[in-house]
Amino acid sequence: MRILSHLFENNKRWAASIHEKDPTFFERLSQQQNPEYLWIGCSDSRVPANQIVGLLPGDIFVHRNVANLVVYDDLNCQSVLQYGVEALKVRHIIVCGHYGCGGVQAALSPTSLGRLDNWLRYIKDVHSLHRGYLNALQDPVEIHNALCELNIIEQARNVCQNKIVEDAWAREQAIDVHAWIYSIQDGILRDLGFTVTSRSEVQPLYTQAIESFIKKPPHR
Ligand code: CO
């Protein structure tokens, strides 16, 4: 008997259903990929990029890690970013996090998780950066939600301030960077109001996003 045979059976059914709707789908895709979107999301099993936005294989180039972090010396993320921007020429880069993020929750907890602590450090840095606002909040759920949102805005800013994206904008390659949050409770995506289309917009739009966030948090 084949190991995990139910997954192979699922796969056969899935491939057949796609083929039934569009007999040349796989043949076309096998020639090349030409995705319009680069998705940087959390590894959480409840936040699958393609399904959430109803897109097919070939539509989204995807990078996922714990808590959707964009870290300058992360070879993996930087390679995806470079290939997405320079080779695939994606039109949009979406940083999408989610409420109920285990990585964000762990960063708020004093308990050590071993090696993962090094990765969570980046979320703790976001917390430090916005501690004035976060420390004024009382409700732990509110703090969690706010840190999830702020983390996404910070990671989207990291995309904007990345050399790969800066160089693309400098040669007038059109790229829009977006900051989105997904609710695992109702399956709904929300735009966090930080959408950047050029280098000169980064700082003013970041300041505006953070100021309006603090005045009127999007989740409340
Ligand atoms: Co998560």
Side-chain angles (χ1 to χ4, degrees), residues 25-78:
F25 181 81
F26 290 113
E27 195 190 319
R28 280 199 323 272
L29 265 193
S30 68
Q31 310 297 321
Q32 60 161 354
Q33 63 165 333
N34 190 21
E36 198 180 337
Y37 313 97
L38 163 58
W39 175 280
I40 300 175
C42 184
S43 297
D44 193 302
S45 63
R46 299 164 293 181
V47 195
N50 285 65
Q51 283 99 321
I52 287 175
V53 285
L55 292 177
L56 289 167
D59 291 336
I60 310 193
F61 194 53
V62 174
H63 175 76
R64 290 167 68 182
N65 62 41
V66 171
N68 41 270
L69 300 181
V70 178
V71 174
Y72 297 110
D73 58 0
D74 175 10
L75 185 61
N76 187 348
C77 182
Q78 296 300 315

Side-chain angles (χ1 to χ4, degrees), residues 171-210:
R171 59 178 180 265
E172 297 191 339
Q173 183 179 336
I175 298 175
D176 296 356
V177 178
H178 308 260
W180 293 357
I181 192 154
Y182 174 77
S183 168
I184 49 176
Q185 284 185 340
D186 59 11
I188 300 299
L189 269 178
R190 217 186 281 110
D191 192 315
L192 288 173
F194 180 64
T195 307
V196 185
T197 63
S198 69
R199 189 175 179 174
S200 62
E201 287 176 353
V202 181
Q203 210 45 50
L205 288 181
Y206 170 80
T207 307
Q208 196 184 83
I210 297 297

Side-chain angles (χ1 to χ4, degrees), residues 146-160:
L147 186 55
C148 287
E149 291 162 358
L150 288 166
N151 180 48
I152 296 162
I153 293 172
E154 290 302 331
Q155 303 314 319
R157 181 168 72 148
N158 287 346
V159 170
C160 296

